[in-house]
Amino acid sequence: MAARLVFLGRLEELAGSGGADFALDAPLDWTALVARLSDEYSPELADLISSDRVKVALNGALVADKQGIMLSNGDEIAFLPPVSGG
Amino acid sequence: MAARLVFLGRLEELAGSGGADFALDAPLDWTALVARLSDEYSPELADLISSDRVKVALNGALVADKQGIMLSNGDEIAFLPPVSGG
Amino acid sequence: MSDVRLLAAPFDPAEELRAFTAAHIVAGGIVSFLGQVREGGGVEALELKHYDPLTLPAMQDLAVRVRDRWVLDGLLVIHRSGVMAVGEPIVLVAAAARHRRDAFAAADFAMDHLKSESWFWKREKVAGEWRWIEPRAQDFEDIGRW
Amino acid sequence: MSDVRLLAAPFDPAEELRAFTAAHIVAGGIVSFLGQVREGGGVEALELKHYDPLTLPAMQDLAVRVRDRWVLDGLLVIHRSGVMAVGEPIVLVAAAARHRRDAFAAADFAMDHLKSESWFWKREKVAGEWRWIEPRAQDFEDIGRW
């Protein structure tokens, strides 16, 4: 049972990789997810991901209110810092 | 003894050619020049050339006040209707 | 109608423009913007990361918005992802229109939005070290014009 | 610094842009405008007449004004004279700059001034008959923006 984490931009560097599988026993709400990220990666990464500047996409669709996310087995969750494109 | 006339744009059509030699016995002022053009080409061409919309270049330089022109042997005078370029 | 591509490998902007121009002979004017990895500041390479589920769909949405806003005969949007060397093209936008103003405005608008809103993250290699580039205030000023 | 040409024979805009881009690798962005003889309205050919003593010097003066007004790495202005078939390029303007806004504004300004102020007279061949083209009110509106 796992979800997929995707770290874009500077978050990749902080997370140590652009993506990782993330073991789940049961669906995780946003607060629990951030707590797990703080433990398994770093409080800094968790803080950044909690900030308004980082957007979240769940299964390829942008999430308007990330507080309402429930992460389940098989999901892909992407953390999107401010873009700096082109 | 001759000057060179150059007709640009639609004036070329009215004049029947893009350029012509123009016999001169003595320097011609603007009024005399327009009268000669009216006789040798057409009153319509002379009217157009007199209008504010047609600019004049004498020996390759734009003339600010065409009324002050004195056309002499060896000169090139160009009549420049409004541009419609590019 | 629009040609929108996200490429992982180098492309030839001159040939792309040649083909685009030939395909839009009814257009009197074609405005293009080419962004390339510029030489200077010790930059050795540039990398753009994208996120597959979002990046190309957002570029396609942008193309639709541009086509809705201006009367164009054609619109081309090509954007690189991956690692690029100095001098390599990053982005090519071209707008073909009967009226020059439409072509200029459409290309300008598309670039402002690609720069500030597209799902790309950029890092540069300087003196052998990669560093992430933060968004520029100028990009938000640019987009505020529209 | 600027490359300003008045040509009596066809040119290849794609190759011109390729060379211009390669010559300005310090520029992050290149904006170009290509005007071509558009297909439509029964137009079979287009002719531009110029006046040697004025036309190229005025194009060169315009390039100087553009360079004074915006920070550019390079400026290319190529304009045809003579008879052109449908699909043939008429004018190519390209501006290379570190900053995108400068490149867009410079190319746009150059085109507005080329269209409304340059010493070219245009006629079109429709159904075998040549007819002179009068200046368009739009050209004067365009130039009034600056």
Side-chain angles (χ1 to χ4, degrees):
Chain A
M1 305 277 280
R4 180 83 189 157
L5 306 180
V6 177
F7 301 104
L8 277 307
R10 207 156 61 83
L11 300 177
E12 174 182 338
E13 206 167 38
L14 283 170
S17 81
D21 286 325
F22 188 71
L24 285 177
D25 289 330
L28 279 186
D29 68 11
W30 177 252
T31 305
L33 171 63
V34 170
R36 280 272 310 266
L37 292 171
S38 181
D39 286 348
E40 296 190 18
Y41 291 91
S42 68
E44 188 190 356
L45 183 74
D47 281 353
L48 274 172
I49 281 173
S50 300
S51 82
D52 286 345
R53 301 185 70 210
V54 172
K55 309 254 183 269
V56 173
L58 190 61
N59 299 323
L62 273 179
V63 170
D65 173 21
K66 61 191 178 188
Q67 310 284 339
I69 284 172
M70 187 66 69
L71 189 68
S72 300
N73 182 36
D75 283 349
E76 174 169 300
I77 186 165
F79 302 104
L80 315 159
V83 297
S84 53
Chain B
M1 304 274 282
R4 179 84 189 155
L5 307 181
V6 177
F7 301 104
L8 277 305
R10 206 156 60 84
L11 300 175
E12 174 182 338
E13 206 167 38
L14 284 170
S17 81
D21 287 326
F22 188 72
L24 285 177
D25 289 331
L28 279 187
D29 67 13
W30 178 253
T31 307
L33 171 61
V34 170
R36 280 272 309 268
L37 292 171
S38 181
D39 287 349
E40 297 190 16
Y41 291 90
S42 69
E44 187 191 357
L45 183 74
D47 281 354
L48 274 172
I49 281 173
S50 300
S51 82
D52 286 345
R53 300 186 69 209
V54 172
K55 309 252 183 271
V56 173
L58 190 61
N59 299 320
L62 274 179
V63 170
D65 173 21
K66 61 192 179 188
Q67 310 284 341
I69 285 171
M70 186 67 69
L71 189 68
S72 299
N73 182 36
D75 284 347
E76 173 169 300
I77 186 166
F79 303 105
L80 315 159
V83 297
S84 54
Chain C
M1 285 280 281
S2 300
D3 181 356
V4 181
R5 283 178 267 161
L6 175 60
L7 302 181
F11 66 101
D12 182 335
E15 289 311 314
E16 293 291 348
L17 274 177
R18 185 196 302 283
F20 183 74
T21 300
H24 295 98
I25 199 171
V26 299
I30 290 161
V31 171
S32 73
F33 176 85
L34 169 65
Q36 58 186 0
V37 183
R38 62 182 294 272
E39 189 176 67
V43 173
E44 294 154 10
L46 183 147
E47 182 173 15
L48 284 174
K49 301 255 188 176
H50 73 280
Y51 182 50
D52 263 335
L54 295 181
T55 308
L56 182 59
M59 289 167 61
Q60 290 164 331
D61 286 350
L62 173 60
V64 170
R65 285 157 64 204
V66 170
R67 298 295 292 251
D68 283 347
R69 190 156 170 171
W70 288 281
V71 178
L72 302 183
D73 295 306
L75 179 64
L76 174 69
V77 178
I78 301 177
H79 209 298
R80 272 296 309 277
S81 184
V83 176
M84 287 155 270
V86 170
E88 267 187 58
I90 305 167
V91 56
L92 175 67
V93 165
R98 179 152 181 188
H99 299 294
R100 192 169 77 250
R101 299 246 56 70
D102 287 337
F104 267 106
D108 198 1
F109 177 96
M111 277 310 306
D112 279 354
H113 287 73
L114 277 173
K115 281 277 185 179
S116 60
E117 292 184 346
S118 284
W119 297 107
F120 290 103
W121 294 269
K122 179 160 61 179
R123 57 179 194 165
E124 288 176 350
K125 194 178 189 178
V126 176
E129 299 273 321
W130 285 103
R131 54 170 195 200
W132 290 98
I133 305 300
E134 296 296 315
R136 297 186 314 134
Q138 180 66 44
D139 292 333
F140 296 102
E141 284 173 34
D142 287 346
I143 207 172
R145 299 181 305 133
W146 300 99
Chain D
M1 284 281 280
S2 300
D3 181 356
V4 181
R5 283 177 267 162
L6 176 59
L7 302 181
F11 66 101
D12 182 334
E15 289 310 314
E16 294 291 349
L17 273 177
R18 187 196 300 284
F20 182 74
T21 300
H24 295 99
I25 199 171
V26 299
I30 291 161
V31 171
S32 73
F33 176 84
L34 169 64
Q36 58 187 359
V37 183
R38 60 182 294 272
E39 188 176 66
V43 173
E44 294 154 10
L46 183 148
E47 182 173 15
L48 284 174
K49 301 254 188 176
H50 73 280
Y51 182 49
D52 263 337
L54 295 182
T55 308
L56 182 59
M59 289 168 60
Q60 291 164 331
D61 285 350
L62 173 60
V64 169
R65 286 158 62 204
V66 171
R67 298 296 292 250
D68 283 348
R69 189 154 168 173
W70 289 281
V71 178
L72 301 182
D73 295 306
L75 179 64
L76 173 69
V77 178
I78 300 177
H79 210 299
R80 272 294 309 277
S81 184
V83 176
M84 287 155 273
V86 170
E88 268 187 59
I90 305 167
V91 56
L92 176 67
V93 165
R98 179 153 180 188
H99 299 294
R100 192 169 78 249
R101 298 247 55 72
D102 287 337
F104 267 106
D108 197 3
F109 177 97
M111 277 310 307
D112 279 354
H113 287 73
L114 276 172
K115 281 277 185 179
S116 59
E117 293 185 346
S118 284
W119 297 108
F120 289 103
W121 295 269
K122 180 160 60 179
R123 57 180 195 164
E124 287 177 350
K125 194 178 190 178
V126 176
E129 299 274 320
W130 286 101
R131 55 171 196 200
W132 290 99
I133 305 300
E134 295 296 314
R136 296 185 315 135
Q138 180 66 44
D139 292 334
F140 295 102
E141 283 173 36
D142 287 345
I143 208 172
R145 298 181 305 133
W146 301 98

